[in-house]
Amino acid sequence: MTLKPWLCAMLFLLIGCTRKHSASTPDDTLVVAISAEPATLDPRYATDAVGTRMTSLIFNGLVRLGENFEAVPEGAESWTLKGNTFSFKMRDDLKFHNGRKLKAEDVEFSMTTALSPGGPYATVGDSVKAWRVREDGGRIYLDIELHVGSDKFLTSELRGVKIVPKAEVLAADTEFSRNLIGTGGYRLVRQTSNEIELEAVTAKTKHLIFKVIHDDFTRYQKMLKGDIDILQMELPRDRVADFKAQPEKFQVLQYPGLSMSY
């Protein structure tokens, strides 16, 4: 099965190996190996690498990183910068997985939660002087005034803010992390300590199955056998050559990334 370019960008691959024409999974399914279970899939608290990559599939931010690490629209349709103030125009077609359309109170709740003291993304607020959500002509806008205007705010700090549904979060309370409702291309179907399954809402590939395989050699073997379709940043560097030597079976993709290893 060939990995689609849009999925490469979505999963932020640094070094990845994909199996061509895997016989173990249906054509509408991709099986991805990960080395550890995410600490949480609640985007308000996810900070580990695996968790943040998965939440980006289930939830939208205002912006996301493009192929050249530039900010491109996601939950926001467009934005303008006047002085030190960014004005984001929210997408009019944005709906949560339960079918409910995005409301202004959802945007306000998402910002309030993200910037709340003590939260993992509270430092975003250090750059923010003031912000407000408004409606104009039936459209939702988010205005964020910074102490000092900077494009870095879009490409680094703001990406941690995901759009969550206010009413559903408050109703679910602590159970929201097990019954996630976002606006992203995938919805959560099931989650265990060994496996996580996502189902497409608007994305092209119908199912994504993430298998937690802690041991490096086991992941390597399962990829060779065809039990795994994708290894994303989970392949020991000394094993990359083994897959490059079999181009008829495997595709090795290498991209510059933001990660640092010691």
PDB file of all heavy atoms in Angstrom, residues 156-181:
ATOM      1  N   SER A 156       4.611  28.395  15.894  1.00  0.00           N
ATOM      2  CA  SER A 156       5.060  27.634  17.056  1.00  0.00           C
ATOM      3  C   SER A 156       4.036  27.659  18.193  1.00  0.00           C
ATOM      4  O   SER A 156       3.454  26.626  18.537  1.00  0.00           O
ATOM      5  CB  SER A 156       6.414  28.150  17.558  1.00  0.00           C
ATOM      6  OG  SER A 156       6.320  29.525  17.910  1.00  0.00           O
ATOM      7  N   GLU A 157       3.769  28.810  18.753  1.00  0.00           N
ATOM      8  CA  GLU A 157       2.937  28.889  19.949  1.00  0.00           C
ATOM      9  C   GLU A 157       1.473  28.527  19.701  1.00  0.00           C
ATOM     10  O   GLU A 157       0.885  27.720  20.421  1.00  0.00           O
ATOM     11  CB  GLU A 157       3.035  30.294  20.556  1.00  0.00           C
ATOM     12  CG  GLU A 157       4.448  30.685  20.966  1.00  0.00           C
ATOM     13  CD  GLU A 157       4.521  32.127  21.441  1.00  0.00           C
ATOM     14  OE1 GLU A 157       3.879  32.439  22.457  1.00  0.00           O
ATOM     15  OE2 GLU A 157       5.206  32.930  20.780  1.00  0.00           O
ATOM     16  N   LEU A 158       0.875  29.103  18.675  1.00  0.00           N
ATOM     17  CA  LEU A 158      -0.568  28.948  18.458  1.00  0.00           C
ATOM     18  C   LEU A 158      -0.956  27.534  18.044  1.00  0.00           C
ATOM     19  O   LEU A 158      -2.097  27.122  18.240  1.00  0.00           O
ATOM     20  CB  LEU A 158      -1.050  29.946  17.402  1.00  0.00           C
ATOM     21  CG  LEU A 158      -2.570  30.112  17.269  1.00  0.00           C
ATOM     22  CD1 LEU A 158      -3.172  30.640  18.567  1.00  0.00           C
ATOM     23  CD2 LEU A 158      -2.913  31.037  16.114  1.00  0.00           C
ATOM     24  N   ARG A 159      -0.025  26.769  17.496  1.00  0.00           N
ATOM     25  CA  ARG A 159      -0.353  25.427  17.022  1.00  0.00           C
ATOM     26  C   ARG A 159      -0.802  24.494  18.151  1.00  0.00           C
ATOM     27  O   ARG A 159      -1.421  23.465  17.908  1.00  0.00           O
ATOM     28  CB  ARG A 159       0.837  24.816  16.288  1.00  0.00           C
ATOM     29  CG  ARG A 159       1.113  25.460  14.958  1.00  0.00           C
ATOM     30  CD  ARG A 159       2.126  24.676  14.157  1.00  0.00           C
ATOM     31  NE  ARG A 159       3.410  24.561  14.842  1.00  0.00           N
ATOM     32  CZ  ARG A 159       3.884  23.429  15.344  1.00  0.00           C
ATOM     33  NH1 ARG A 159       3.202  22.322  15.256  1.00  0.00           N
ATOM     34  NH2 ARG A 159       5.067  23.401  15.935  1.00  0.00           N
ATOM     35  N   GLY A 160      -0.480  24.832  19.388  1.00  0.00           N
ATOM     36  CA  GLY A 160      -0.889  23.999  20.513  1.00  0.00           C
ATOM     37  C   GLY A 160      -2.343  24.167  20.903  1.00  0.00           C
ATOM     38  O   GLY A 160      -2.885  23.374  21.681  1.00  0.00           O
ATOM     39  N   VAL A 161      -3.001  25.167  20.366  1.00  0.00           N
ATOM     40  CA  VAL A 161      -4.407  25.436  20.698  1.00  0.00           C
ATOM     41  C   VAL A 161      -5.302  24.681  19.716  1.00  0.00           C
ATOM     42  O   VAL A 161      -5.298  24.949  18.515  1.00  0.00           O
ATOM     43  CB  VAL A 161      -4.714  26.949  20.640  1.00  0.00           C
ATOM     44  CG1 VAL A 161      -6.180  27.200  20.967  1.00  0.00           C
ATOM     45  CG2 VAL A 161      -3.807  27.713  21.600  1.00  0.00           C
ATOM     46  N   LYS A 162      -6.067  23.719  20.231  1.00  0.00           N
ATOM     47  CA  LYS A 162      -6.991  22.947  19.402  1.00  0.00           C
ATOM     48  C   LYS A 162      -8.435  23.350  19.709  1.00  0.00           C
ATOM     49  O   LYS A 162      -8.751  23.790  20.821  1.00  0.00           O
ATOM     50  CB  LYS A 162      -6.829  21.449  19.661  1.00  0.00           C
ATOM     51  CG  LYS A 162      -5.430  20.921  19.377  1.00  0.00           C
ATOM     52  CD  LYS A 162      -5.058  21.048  17.914  1.00  0.00           C
ATOM     53  CE  LYS A 162      -3.716  20.394  17.629  1.00  0.00           C
ATOM     54  NZ  LYS A 162      -3.282  20.580  16.229  1.00  0.00           N
ATOM     55  N   ILE A 163      -9.310  23.160  18.724  1.00  0.00           N
ATOM     56  CA  ILE A 163     -10.721  23.525  18.866  1.00  0.00           C
ATOM     57  C   ILE A 163     -11.478  22.361  19.500  1.00  0.00           C
ATOM     58  O   ILE A 163     -11.485  21.250  18.963  1.00  0.00           O
ATOM     59  CB  ILE A 163     -11.331  23.870  17.503  1.00  0.00           C
ATOM     60  CG1 ILE A 163     -10.564  25.047  16.873  1.00  0.00           C
ATOM     61  CG2 ILE A 163     -12.815  24.211  17.639  1.00  0.00           C
ATOM     62  CD1 ILE A 163     -10.913  25.286  15.423  1.00  0.00           C
ATOM     63  N   VAL A 164     -12.095  22.620  20.646  1.00  0.00           N
ATOM     64  CA  VAL A 164     -12.871  21.593  21.350  1.00  0.00           C
ATOM     65  C   VAL A 164     -14.298  22.101  21.571  1.00  0.00           C
ATOM     66  O   VAL A 164     -14.536  23.310  21.632  1.00  0.00           O
ATOM     67  CB  VAL A 164     -12.223  21.227  22.708  1.00  0.00           C
ATOM     68  CG1 VAL A 164     -10.868  20.568  22.503  1.00  0.00           C
ATOM     69  CG2 VAL A 164     -12.087  22.453  23.602  1.00  0.00           C
ATOM     70  N   PRO A 165     -15.274  21.182  21.691  1.00  0.00           N
ATOM     71  CA  PRO A 165     -16.679  21.590  21.842  1.00  0.00           C
ATOM     72  C   PRO A 165     -17.025  21.877  23.308  1.00  0.00           C
ATOM     73  O   PRO A 165     -16.948  20.989  24.164  1.00  0.00           O
ATOM     74  CB  PRO A 165     -17.440  20.364  21.323  1.00  0.00           C
ATOM     75  CG  PRO A 165     -16.549  19.215  21.662  1.00  0.00           C
ATOM     76  CD  PRO A 165     -15.134  19.725  21.550  1.00  0.00           C
ATOM     77  N   LYS A 166     -17.412  23.088  23.610  1.00  0.00           N
ATOM     78  CA  LYS A 166     -17.643  23.496  24.994  1.00  0.00           C
ATOM     79  C   LYS A 166     -18.685  22.635  25.700  1.00  0.00           C
ATOM     80  O   LYS A 166     -18.413  22.066  26.768  1.00  0.00           O
ATOM     81  CB  LYS A 166     -18.080  24.966  25.040  1.00  0.00           C
ATOM     82  CG  LYS A 166     -18.374  25.452  26.472  1.00  0.00           C
ATOM     83  CD  LYS A 166     -18.802  26.912  26.476  1.00  0.00           C
ATOM     84  CE  LYS A 166     -19.095  27.377  27.912  1.00  0.00           C
ATOM     85  NZ  LYS A 166     -19.488  28.805  27.937  1.00  0.00           N
ATOM     86  N   ALA A 167     -19.883  22.526  25.140  1.00  0.00           N
ATOM     87  CA  ALA A 167     -20.974  21.825  25.816  1.00  0.00           C
ATOM     88  C   ALA A 167     -20.623  20.362  26.045  1.00  0.00           C
ATOM     89  O   ALA A 167     -20.871  19.804  27.132  1.00  0.00           O
ATOM     90  CB  ALA A 167     -22.262  21.940  24.995  1.00  0.00           C
ATOM     91  N   GLU A 168     -20.030  19.720  25.062  1.00  0.00           N
ATOM     92  CA  GLU A 168     -19.702  18.305  25.165  1.00  0.00           C
ATOM     93  C   GLU A 168     -18.576  18.056  26.163  1.00  0.00           C
ATOM     94  O   GLU A 168     -18.586  17.047  26.880  1.00  0.00           O
ATOM     95  CB  GLU A 168     -19.332  17.753  23.789  1.00  0.00           C
ATOM     96  CG  GLU A 168     -20.502  17.623  22.828  1.00  0.00           C
ATOM     97  CD  GLU A 168     -20.883  18.930  22.149  1.00  0.00           C
ATOM     98  OE1 GLU A 168     -20.340  19.994  22.527  1.00  0.00           O
ATOM     99  OE2 GLU A 168     -21.731  18.906  21.247  1.00  0.00           O
ATOM    100  N   VAL A 169     -17.603  18.950  26.214  1.00  0.00           N
ATOM    101  CA  VAL A 169     -16.510  18.805  27.179  1.00  0.00           C
ATOM    102  C   VAL A 169     -17.037  18.941  28.606  1.00  0.00           C
ATOM    103  O   VAL A 169     -16.708  18.143  29.493  1.00  0.00           O
ATOM    104  CB  VAL A 169     -15.407  19.853  26.927  1.00  0.00           C
ATOM    105  CG1 VAL A 169     -14.409  19.869  28.081  1.00  0.00           C
ATOM    106  CG2 VAL A 169     -14.686  19.560  25.621  1.00  0.00           C
ATOM    107  N   LEU A 170     -17.880  19.946  28.831  1.00  0.00           N
ATOM    108  CA  LEU A 170     -18.420  20.167  30.176  1.00  0.00           C
ATOM    109  C   LEU A 170     -19.337  19.024  30.600  1.00  0.00           C
ATOM    110  O   LEU A 170     -19.350  18.621  31.772  1.00  0.00           O
ATOM    111  CB  LEU A 170     -19.178  21.493  30.220  1.00  0.00           C
ATOM    112  CG  LEU A 170     -18.321  22.749  29.999  1.00  0.00           C
ATOM    113  CD1 LEU A 170     -19.194  24.007  30.047  1.00  0.00           C
ATOM    114  CD2 LEU A 170     -17.211  22.839  31.052  1.00  0.00           C
ATOM    115  N   ALA A 171     -20.085  18.466  29.654  1.00  0.00           N
ATOM    116  CA  ALA A 171     -20.988  17.361  29.983  1.00  0.00           C
ATOM    117  C   ALA A 171     -20.214  16.085  30.284  1.00  0.00           C
ATOM    118  O   ALA A 171     -20.565  15.331  31.198  1.00  0.00           O
ATOM    119  CB  ALA A 171     -21.962  17.123  28.834  1.00  0.00           C
ATOM    120  N   ALA A 172     -19.146  15.839  29.538  1.00  0.00           N
ATOM    121  CA  ALA A 172     -18.370  14.605  29.727  1.00  0.00           C
ATOM    122  C   ALA A 172     -17.412  14.698  30.901  1.00  0.00           C
ATOM    123  O   ALA A 172     -17.062  13.691  31.509  1.00  0.00           O
ATOM    124  CB  ALA A 172     -17.595  14.297  28.448  1.00  0.00           C
ATOM    125  N   ASP A 173     -16.955  15.899  31.213  1.00  0.00           N
ATOM    126  CA  ASP A 173     -16.014  16.134  32.306  1.00  0.00           C
ATOM    127  C   ASP A 173     -14.750  15.295  32.084  1.00  0.00           C
ATOM    128  O   ASP A 173     -14.157  15.356  31.022  1.00  0.00           O
ATOM    129  CB  ASP A 173     -16.671  15.834  33.655  1.00  0.00           C
ATOM    130  CG  ASP A 173     -15.912  16.426  34.829  1.00  0.00           C
ATOM    131  OD1 ASP A 173     -15.059  17.305  34.604  1.00  0.00           O
ATOM    132  OD2 ASP A 173     -16.156  16.010  35.974  1.00  0.00           O
ATOM    133  N   THR A 174     -14.360  14.483  33.054  1.00  0.00           N
ATOM    134  CA  THR A 174     -13.124  13.713  32.955  1.00  0.00           C
ATOM    135  C   THR A 174     -13.202  12.593  31.922  1.00  0.00           C
ATOM    136  O   THR A 174     -12.175  12.028  31.548  1.00  0.00           O
ATOM    137  CB  THR A 174     -12.764  13.109  34.320  1.00  0.00           C
ATOM    138  OG1 THR A 174     -13.850  12.303  34.773  1.00  0.00           O
ATOM    139  CG2 THR A 174     -12.482  14.205  35.337  1.00  0.00           C
ATOM    140  N   GLU A 175     -14.401  12.256  31.457  1.00  0.00           N
ATOM    141  CA  GLU A 175     -14.560  11.182  30.472  1.00  0.00           C
ATOM    142  C   GLU A 175     -14.369  11.658  29.037  1.00  0.00           C
ATOM    143  O   GLU A 175     -14.420  10.841  28.116  1.00  0.00           O
ATOM    144  CB  GLU A 175     -15.946  10.536  30.612  1.00  0.00           C
ATOM    145  CG  GLU A 175     -16.113   9.710  31.876  1.00  0.00           C
ATOM    146  CD  GLU A 175     -15.123   8.546  31.922  1.00  0.00           C
ATOM    147  OE1 GLU A 175     -15.065   7.787  30.934  1.00  0.00           O
ATOM    148  OE2 GLU A 175     -14.406   8.421  32.931  1.00  0.00           O
ATOM    149  N   PHE A 176     -14.136  12.957  28.851  1.00  0.00           N
ATOM    150  CA  PHE A 176     -13.979  13.467  27.488  1.00  0.00           C
ATOM    151  C   PHE A 176     -12.799  12.815  26.786  1.00  0.00           C
ATOM    152  O   PHE A 176     -12.848  12.556  25.580  1.00  0.00           O
ATOM    153  CB  PHE A 176     -13.810  14.987  27.491  1.00  0.00           C
ATOM    154  CG  PHE A 176     -13.679  15.583  26.115  1.00  0.00           C
ATOM    155  CD1 PHE A 176     -14.775  15.643  25.263  1.00  0.00           C
ATOM    156  CD2 PHE A 176     -12.458  16.063  25.659  1.00  0.00           C
ATOM    157  CE1 PHE A 176     -14.661  16.174  23.986  1.00  0.00           C
ATOM    158  CE2 PHE A 176     -12.339  16.599  24.382  1.00  0.00           C
ATOM    159  CZ  PHE A 176     -13.436  16.659  23.546  1.00  0.00           C
ATOM    160  N   SER A 177     -11.741  12.517  27.515  1.00  0.00           N
ATOM    161  CA  SER A 177     -10.552  11.920  26.909  1.00  0.00           C
ATOM    162  C   SER A 177     -10.814  10.529  26.353  1.00  0.00           C
ATOM    163  O   SER A 177     -10.038  10.012  25.548  1.00  0.00           O
ATOM    164  CB  SER A 177      -9.409  11.856  27.925  1.00  0.00           C
ATOM    165  OG  SER A 177      -9.753  11.027  29.012  1.00  0.00           O
ATOM    166  N   ARG A 178     -11.925   9.886  26.781  1.00  0.00           N
ATOM    167  CA  ARG A 178     -12.280   8.563  26.269  1.00  0.00           C
ATOM    168  C   ARG A 178     -13.399   8.648  25.233  1.00  0.00           C
ATOM    169  O   ARG A 178     -13.704   7.655  24.569  1.00  0.00           O
ATOM    170  CB  ARG A 178     -12.733   7.657  27.418  1.00  0.00           C
ATOM    171  CG  ARG A 178     -11.765   7.577  28.585  1.00  0.00           C
ATOM    172  CD  ARG A 178     -10.451   6.942  28.199  1.00  0.00           C
ATOM    173  NE  ARG A 178     -10.584   5.574  27.729  1.00  0.00           N
ATOM    174  CZ  ARG A 178      -9.564   4.766  27.446  1.00  0.00           C
ATOM    175  NH1 ARG A 178      -8.323   5.222  27.554  1.00  0.00           N
ATOM    176  NH2 ARG A 178      -9.762   3.530  27.037  1.00  0.00           N
ATOM    177  N   ASN A 179     -14.019   9.806  25.122  1.00  0.00           N
ATOM    178  CA  ASN A 179     -15.128   9.998  24.175  1.00  0.00           C
ATOM    179  C   ASN A 179     -14.901  11.298  23.410  1.00  0.00           C
ATOM    180  O   ASN A 179     -15.676  12.245  23.513  1.00  0.00           O
ATOM    181  CB  ASN A 179     -16.470  10.036  24.906  1.00  0.00           C
ATOM    182  CG  ASN A 179     -16.751   8.753  25.664  1.00  0.00           C
ATOM    183  OD1 ASN A 179     -17.177   7.762  25.096  1.00  0.00           O
ATOM    184  ND2 ASN A 179     -16.506   8.771  26.968  1.00  0.00           N
ATOM    185  N   LEU A 180     -13.830  11.323  22.660  1.00  0.00           N
ATOM    186  CA  LEU A 180     -13.380  12.549  22.025  1.00  0.00           C
ATOM    187  C   LEU A 180     -14.304  12.988  20.887  1.00  0.00           C
ATOM    188  O   LEU A 180     -14.780  12.170  20.109  1.00  0.00           O
ATOM    189  CB  LEU A 180     -11.967  12.360  21.482  1.00  0.00           C
ATOM    190  CG  LEU A 180     -10.899  12.007  22.525  1.00  0.00           C
ATOM    191  CD1 LEU A 180      -9.605  11.623  21.829  1.00  0.00           C
ATOM    192  CD2 LEU A 180     -10.668  13.163  23.482  1.00  0.00           C
ATOM    193  N   ILE A 181     -14.537  14.298  20.820  1.00  0.00           N
ATOM    194  CA  ILE A 181     -15.315  14.891  19.736  1.00  0.00           C
ATOM    195  C   ILE A 181     -14.543  16.102  19.225  1.00  0.00           C
ATOM    196  O   ILE A 181     -14.381  17.089  19.941  1.00  0.00           O
ATOM    197  CB  ILE A 181     -16.718  15.330  20.203  1.00  0.00           C
ATOM    198  CG1 ILE A 181     -17.510  14.132  20.736  1.00  0.00           C
ATOM    199  CG2 ILE A 181     -17.482  15.998  19.064  1.00  0.00           C
ATOM    200  CD1 ILE A 181     -18.843  14.503  21.345  1.00  0.00           C
TER     201      ILE A 181
END
